[in-house]
Each structure stands twice: as C-alpha cells, then as structure tokens.
C-alpha cells in the first residue's frame, strides 16, 4: 500500500490553508468548525482546487508546483465521497456506480446492498442508501486513496450510528490511505486512528483521539473534543451492562453493547462531583484528586483524574472544592456511551 | 378603494389580452382552414417556405454548434472581462434588425470590412442564401446563448467535480453530465431562437435582399404578397402563427419539464443571465 504525502498551501477567502499530511494504510481525520478549510484540503488532494506544494502517492507525483507539475483530477487515483454525495440525478444507481469503472459494478451493488435499487434514480433514495451508492461509485474505480467529505453529515441521528459502524468496518477492510473530514469529533474518534484539528486553515494538533481529549494542546481543541474519551477493553457483564476495563485503571459500566477495544465517551455535564460516594442509581464512581478547576461562564470544569466534569459554580462553592482534594466523580451507565476506537 | 384598484388591474389585463389576440384571431377568420392548403400551394408561397425552412435549419445548426460550447465556457469559468463578453453577445437582442442588416453588410459586403478577404476565397455573401443564414444567426443566437448559459449555470458544479474524480476528462464531463442535466434549458432556449430566426425580416431584407426562390423567406413573401395577393399573405401568416404557437407551447413544456418553471414560458435565461 502506498503512502499519501501532501504538503500544500491553498489561498482561501479569509486565510490560506496550510497542511502537511502523511497517510499510510490508515484513516486520518481532519476535524474543525465549518469554514476551517477541511473540504478545500480534500479538493486540493484530489486536484479539484489549485494548491501550491506537493502531493505524492508512493512514487507517483500528483502535484509539484516547483516543477510545474499538476496532474488533473481524472488521472489521480482518488475516490472522493462528497458531502451531499453528488450523485448524478439523471443516471440510475447502476449507471452512477458504473460511471467511474465498469469492472466490479455488480459486486459493488451487492457489497453495499443496493442491488435492488440498481434501476432507481438517486432522487428516490434515502440518505443512508445515497451514502452507500456514493461509496460504491467512488470505489468502482479501484482508487488508491479514499477521501471522505463529511460522509455522515447528511444523515439523520437515527441512521447515523448504524452507517458509522458500517463505514468503520469498510475502512478496516479496505486499508487504503483515507482522509476523512468531519465537524464532529465523535465521528472522527470512531473512524480514525489519528485526528488533526484544523482551525482557520492551520492544524492545531494531531494525535490519537484519546490523546487529544486527555491532553489538548490549546483551549480550542479542548472545547472541540467535548466529551471525555477513555480507551479500554469491553466485555458484557451481568445485568445487561457492558463492563469496561479502562487502560488507565479502574472499571466502569456502560448501557451500550460492545466488546473488545472501545472508547468510553462521557460528556462532562453528565458527571457529578461529590465529597463522598452518593447512594443513588449511578453505578460509576471514580475517586481521584482534583487536578484543575477552570471557570467557563457560570460553570466550572473540574478535572478529576482522567475525567473532566462540568458543575455549577454554586456547587463548587458549596463543596469548597480545591485542587488536590480527593473527590468522587459519578456518572450513570446510560451516560457512558461506547464508540469503537479507530485503529 | 381596493375594489377600484382591482377593477383597474382587471381592465388593463382585458385591454392587453384583446389587443394582442384580436389580430391573430382576425388572421384565422379571414382564412378558412379549407382554403389554407390551396393558398399555400401557390408557387411563390412554397418557394418562400422552402427558403425559410432551409435557412432556419442551417442557421439553427450553426447556433447550436457554436453557442453550446461558448455558453458552457461562460457558465463554468470566471475570467476578467466576462461581463463585457456577455454584453457583447446580447447586443443583437436590443439592436434594431435593420441596423443588424446594415452591420452585416458593412462587415461581409463586397466593399465591407472583410470584403476583400472573402473575395480572395471566392465567397460573395450578400444576396445569397448564406446571407439569410448569417442574418438569422446574428439576430437569433443571443436567445439561445442566454438560455444555454443559465441552463449550464444551474447544473451543480459539485456534479462536474465528482465526474472528474471518477476519471472523466473535461470533454466527457461535458457530454455525460453537463449536457444531459442542462438539456431542458437548452431545449427551451433553442426553440425560442428558432422562432426568432423563422420570423426574421429586417436584417434579412437589408443583407440578403428579397429575391424570390433565393433569399425570399416566408416573412418577406408575406410582405410582397400584401400588394399582389392578400389571400396568400394571409395563408402564410396563419401558417407562421401556427408554427409560433407550437414553438411557444414546446418551450413552456420544456421549461416545466426541467422543474425551473417560472411565470412565463421564457426559460430561466430571463432571470438568470445579466
């Protein structure tokens, strides 16, 4: 498998996108707010936007502006899945998939469970079906690089979880250099081994998703990552709950099903902090010293061991919390969601 | 107050409708359908219809062949001076047809701007069927180009990008994606241009003359027959009305078909290009 190396500069309206990226047989996610230049990065790699710099796949040079080289998009072996899927409305599902390559159309229709829709026009499909057609179409050309632009954004919350799990399996199977763009940190964490946070055209931080959560390089990354994400190993346990042995020590329970390597995601506002272990329905208790107290508006972010909890300023005052105090962070099994960890 | 206003609006519409339809109705009242066929069998009428058909079709083919790629370029690229190019392309829309004919004469006439070059090629254009074709192209092409630009602009550029990443070069993207998706708008613009070309009078009579059998088109024949044989003029007129009506209906249908239906049968050109 070839490695994709991009070192590009692309002037945009408000700023210039500057990106250096090296992607082996893995999925790298670019996350950031909308307008950060994420889609432009994909367009530059695909050759749809004129960037300066170099884009190289293995020994093949796609862009080298210093040498005056810019291979047009149709001769770059790229499968690009567009945000709104950009299916050809005048062509059937089959003709859409066959547009890029005729060789494996039937196999792909089968693989993506869209065989029964072969004669349908894209306008009549559901969001999930469109996404599968877009993936099949992108793969029909046997691309050596896969670029996914917000592949889950056009889906409703209900279908998203299923589609995300399927996409994760597909990416594992393909083992292509894949660049994924999303504005949802959770999606990035679920699908990518490494995540780069892109703001105003610059990468603020690159790392494993759990590292970005645990040690954000700057406040933006911290706020962007939002949820706590603790890596661990899951197995089902009595009472229908899943028991997760955290890598950092300790055991917690989740109401989500899961097994093997998982990330346990808990939002800070789902975690309460007390001096003593409360006697209530919550099953997860983490006892650890307070590492920091940061005021955010009328709330306070309290770091307790590996967790960030968000409590009201009044609670902090009432409990007389101070850095170093040993406290108990509590959250319910239903608040602890499991996301498959990127490999 | 509001009732009075409504009355004024209603009255205006009635006046406009009557004024615009009475002449057409009168034409048909004067020519019983049974007589239409026999009047059209008149030799000069047939000749004129033949010239009209040949020149209109030839001009239309030229307009489509040149106008389509030109409109695609203007719709998909932005470049310095683009709006000036658009103005230049639309100029014939507002030019008096007689002035257009004069201009064509000044350019392609024997002593015109390109006269000596054309003579060197053995080409003499004025007062030939080719002159009729050029006159039609000049006045009718803006109708098509405007519609075609708007039709291509309404194609989602993301689809063109998607086609590129799927291995299609620019020419294949044009043929397989842009052209089929713009087809409805192109068809609507095309029928309008054809109608304008079929009715061409002023530029043709200036540049091509009014030679029966050679450059006399149906509208010119009507003009001639007005003095000599009013019945033939009426028959030709009725035929052109029928053709125009058919074209208008086609345009309406094409416009609805492309889901860009607006209040009139004029394609999206009217609101999109500027």
């Amino acid at each position: 498998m070839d490695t994709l190396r991009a070192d590009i500069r692309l002037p945009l309206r408000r700023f210039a996108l500057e990106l250096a990226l090296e992607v082996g047989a893995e999925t790298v996610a670019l996350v950031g707010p909308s307008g950060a230049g994420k889609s432009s990065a994909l367009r530059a790699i695909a050759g749809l936007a004129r960037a300066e710099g170099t884009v190289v796949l293995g020994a093949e040079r796609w862009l080298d502006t210093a040498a005056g080289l810019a291979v047009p998009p149709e001769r770059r072996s790229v499968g690009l899945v567009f945000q709104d899927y950009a299916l050809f409305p005048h062509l059937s599902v089959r003709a859409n998939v066959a547009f890029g390559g005729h060789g494996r159309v039937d196999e792909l229709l089968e693989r993506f469970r869209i065989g029964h829709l072969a004669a349908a026009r894209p306008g009549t499909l559901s969001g999930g079906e469109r996404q599968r057609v877009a993936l099949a179409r992108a793969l029909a050309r046997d691309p050596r690089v896969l670029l996914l632009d917000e592949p889950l954004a056009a889906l409703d919350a209900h279908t998203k979880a299923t589609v995300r799990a399927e996409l994760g399996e597909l990416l594992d199977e393909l083992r292509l250099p894949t660049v994924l763009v999303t504005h949802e940190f959770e999606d990035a964490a679920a699908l990518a081994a490494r995540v780069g946070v892109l703001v105003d055209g610059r990468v603020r931080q690159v790392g494993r998703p759990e590292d970005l959560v645990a040690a954000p390089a700057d406040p933006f990354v911290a706020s962007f990552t939002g949820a706590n994400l603790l890596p661990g190993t899951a197995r089902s346990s009595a009472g229908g709950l899943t028991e997760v042995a955290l890598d950092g020590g300790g055991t917690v329970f989740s109401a989500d099903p899961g097994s093997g390597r998982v990330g346990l995601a808990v939002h800070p506002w789902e975690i309460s902090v007390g001096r003593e272990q409360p006697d209530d329905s919550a099953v997860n208790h983490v006892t650890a010293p307070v590492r920091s107290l940061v005021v955010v508006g009328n709330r306070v972010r309290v770091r307790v061991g590996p967790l960030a909890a968000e409590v009201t300023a009044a609670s902090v005052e009432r409990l007389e919390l101070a850095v170093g105090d040993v406290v108990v962070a509590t959250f319910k099994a239903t608040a602890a969601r499991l996301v498959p960890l990127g490999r | 107050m509001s009732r009075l206003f409504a009355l004024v609006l209603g009255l205006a519409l009635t006046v406009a409708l009557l004024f615009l339809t009475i002449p057409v109705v009168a034409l048909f009242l004067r020519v019983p359908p049974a007589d239409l066929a026999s009047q059209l069998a008149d030799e000069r009428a047939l000749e004129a219809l033949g010239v009209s058909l040949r020149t209109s079709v030839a001009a239309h083919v030229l307009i489509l062949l040149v106008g389509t790629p030109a409109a695609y370029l203007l719709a998909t690229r932005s470049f310095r001076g683009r709006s000036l190019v658009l103005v230049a392309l639309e100029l014939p829309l507002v030019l008096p047809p007689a002035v257009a004919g004069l201009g064509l004469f000044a350019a392609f006439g024997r002593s015109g701007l390109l006269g000596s070059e054309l003579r060197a090629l053995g080409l003499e254009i004025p007062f030939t069927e080719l002159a009729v074709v050029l006159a039609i192209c000049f006045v009718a092409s803006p109708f098509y180009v405007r519609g075609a630009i708007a039709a291509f602009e309404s194609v989602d550029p993301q689809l063109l990008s998607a086609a590129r990443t799927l291995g299609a070069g620019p020419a294949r993207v044009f043929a397989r994606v842009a052209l089929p998706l713009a087809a409805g708008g192109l068809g609507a613009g095309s029928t309008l241009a054809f109608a304008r070309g079929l009715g061409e009078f002023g530029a043709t009579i200036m540049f091509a003359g009014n030679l029966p059998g050679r450059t006399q088109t149906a509208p010119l024949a009507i003009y001639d027959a007005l003095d000599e044989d009013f019945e033939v003029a009426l028959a030709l007129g009725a035929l052109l009305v029928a053709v125009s009506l058919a074209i208008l209906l086609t345009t309406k249908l094409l416009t609805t078909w492309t889901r860009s239906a607006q209040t009139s049968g004029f394609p999206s050109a009217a609101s999109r290009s500027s």
Side-chain angles (χ1 to χ4, degrees), chain B residues 28-82:
Chain B
F28 278 101
L29 287 179
R30 290 290 298 270
V31 193
D35 291 359
L36 191 69
S38 64
Q39 297 293 353
L40 287 177
D42 175 87
E43 195 187 331
R44 284 187 62 179
L46 281 178
E47 268 181 4
L49 284 174
V51 171
S52 262
L53 194 67
R54 276 200 305 279
T55 54
S56 288
V57 169
H60 203 61
V61 168
L62 286 176
I63 289 172
L64 295 185
L65 283 181
V66 177
T68 312
Y72 185 58
L73 180 76
L74 284 166
T76 52
R77 304 271 194 292
S78 58
F79 51 87
R80 195 184 288 267
R82 179 179 177 272

Side-chain angles (χ1 to χ4, degrees), chain B residues 227-243:
Chain B
D227 292 335
E228 298 158 19
D229 191 343
F230 193 55
E231 297 301 312
V232 172
L234 282 173
L236 276 172
L239 184 70
L240 288 187
V241 167
V243 171

